[in-house]
Amino acid sequence: MFAPRTIPWPLVALFTAGYLAPYLLPTTVGRLDSGLPLTATQAGAVGSALLLSSASAGFLLAARVERIGARRLARAGLTLAAVGYATAALSGAVPLVVVGAMAGGFGSGTVTAVAVTGVAAHPDPHRVSTAGLLSVSGLAGAVYLTVPHLGPGHGQPLAAIALTALAVWPFTGRLPDRAATPHPATEGGRLPHLRYGLALVLAMPCWSLIQNALWGVSGRIGLVQAHLTEAVVGVVFAVALGAGLLGVLGAGAVGPRLGKALPVGGGSVLIAVFLVLSASATDLVSFAVGEIAWNLVYPVVLSYLIGLAASLDPRGRWAVLIGSASSLGTAAGPLSGSVLSAQAGFPVMGMVLAAVLLVVTVPITAVALGMSRRALPVVEIPVETSAAVAPLARDTTTAA
């Protein structure tokens, strides 16, 4: 399924470095709460500030990756991520931790913008995003198993992200140093599929907020409501991320054969069910079942959403904009989950989030259906078409 020679490993490495911070959100927020003089809500706010900074980088760079050059921008982002997260990890002063986390978040967002732009330009964006999700899920699972054995303190998860940024640096040598000459079909400033793109830009913040509102407080659900130790919660998260690996492998094997509407719509409905189950957990069994089931489905739906965004524009502009809009929801997730659970309790939080998710599922499923219908006629274009049309035909074929 993943032939090594056909996978652009520099993009997978950048994808991993950029997405690792959101994946480590529960342990990062939990450690900030326990290791610094912060309340749970304040720790969630720091996590939200980190992710908001990441989202702002995506919005600023959405149309500039080609102009600046992927290699130069990726190295700048990795440097900022390494320095920012290392500063936050090594400092005990809350203001410096916040500044370092936000600087690292901006670096992560920069790296993600480069990765997503490259994924959108690839002939099979779903395959590349699947490989990236496999990589970041595996690495995050290893961190969750390791961190509880490294002693107390807030710095371990942040240090892991910083070290990952340094480890990915050598892969940047294989990225283009300057922007490639744009194809005539895409060199204009107008974004294609404007209606569908705007619909996803508006819907994805809510979709991501819901996921990360749960993910941001999952550690506290395990510790406070299910009465588990940090080590046990770490094992559950590692197993859950392992289940996510299996889900992504399955999505990669199935590919576009199910279309995008069924995985996106049906998967989001399943997420709503598992979200309620996880938020209502009161013991090890219910907590593990809820988290594992949720993590099994979530990355599958996410991989199809990334492929859907990439299919809107082969230059990757919609993919970066939609990804950044999604990051806004991701940024608001920890604080929203903390406030909602503090005011109403974890079970009520789960029911509210599930209800909102079901509403948001309607427009994103409609976009997936609409893009599938638009893509079908393009599949019939012969290989000998002009160079101006070929990139669009190639990209929309994967959407079909």
Side-chain angles (χ1 to χ4, degrees):
M1 179 177 63
F2 295 109
R5 293 183 180 180
T6 61
I7 293 294
W9 294 111
L11 294 180
V12 174
L14 291 175
F15 193 102
T16 302
Y19 272 87
L20 185 60
Y23 266 70
L24 295 183
L25 196 61
T27 188
T28 301
V29 171
R31 287 275 173 150
L32 289 172
D33 180 16
S34 62
L36 294 173
L38 296 172
T39 66
T41 301
Q42 290 171 335
V46 175
S48 292
L50 184 160
L51 297 174
L52 182 61
S53 181
S54 179
S56 66
F59 280 116
L60 288 173
L61 299 171
R64 295 180 172 87
V65 174
E66 290 180 332
R67 188 187 318 159
I68 298 172
R71 185 191 305 175
R72 183 183 307 173
L73 202 56
R75 287 178 172 177
L78 290 171
T79 301
L80 187 58
V83 173
Y85 289 125
T87 300
L90 297 174
S91 176
V94 172
L96 196 55
V97 171
V98 174
V99 171
M102 292 183 67
F106 196 91
S108 291
T110 301
V111 173
T112 301
V114 177
V116 170
T117 301
V119 169
H122 194 267
D124 192 349
H126 181 261
R127 191 160 173 254
V128 182
S129 63
T130 298
L133 288 171
L134 285 171
S135 176
V136 69
S137 297
L139 179 58
V143 173
Y144 276 115
L145 288 174
T146 304
V147 163
H149 303 288
L150 299 180
H154 73 283
Q156 291 89 337
L158 295 166
I161 308 172
L163 292 173
T164 301
L166 292 177
V168 168
W169 178 275
F171 288 92
T172 60
R174 296 169 59 185
L175 296 172
D177 189 26
R178 62 183 64 183
T181 302
H183 290 285
T186 61
E187 64 182 352
R190 183 179 179 182
L191 287 167
H193 305 301
L194 185 62
R195 183 178 60 178
Y196 293 139
L198 288 176
L200 285 182
V201 166
L202 294 175
M204 284 305 296
C206 291
W207 192 90
S208 294
L209 183 149
I210 292 162
Q211 315 304 323
N212 287 279
L214 173 68
W215 189 233
V217 300
S218 287
R220 288 171 50 215
I221 293 174
L223 294 172
V224 176
Q225 185 170 274
H227 308 292
L228 306 175
T229 65
E230 184 187 21
V232 173
V233 171
V235 171
V236 171
F237 285 158
V239 174
L241 290 171
L245 291 176
L246 295 177
V248 174
L249 282 172
V254 173
R257 286 191 287 273
L258 293 178
K260 285 186 171 64
L262 180 59
V264 167
S268 293
V269 172
L270 286 176
I271 288 174
V273 175
F274 299 144
L275 197 154
V276 172
L277 178 61
S278 180
S280 303
T282 56
D283 54 27
L284 174 59
V285 174
S286 57
F287 179 72
V289 170
E291 289 294 324
I292 291 171
W294 179 77
N295 276 279
L296 176 66
V297 180
Y298 165 73
V300 175
V301 180
L302 180 60
S303 69
Y304 279 96
L305 285 171
I306 293 173
L308 178 61
S311 69
L312 294 173
D313 176 22
R315 289 180 62 186
R317 293 169 295 175
W318 272 128
V320 176
L321 286 172
I322 292 167
S324 299
S326 176
S327 296
L328 288 177
T330 301
L335 182 58
S336 301
S338 297
V339 171
L340 189 56
S341 61
Q343 296 296 321
F346 294 117
V348 174
M349 177 202 73
M351 289 186 287
V352 171
L353 294 177
V356 177
L357 178 58
L358 292 176
V359 174
V360 174
T361 298
V362 176
I364 61 175
T365 305
V367 172
L369 285 170
M371 284 303 297
S372 296
R373 295 193 192 102
R374 281 177 172 265
L376 286 174
V378 182
V379 180
E380 303 300 327
I381 297 178
V383 177
E384 294 79 13
T385 48
S386 66
V389 179
L392 291 177
R394 178 192 65 191
D395 194 71
T396 51
T397 298
T398 62

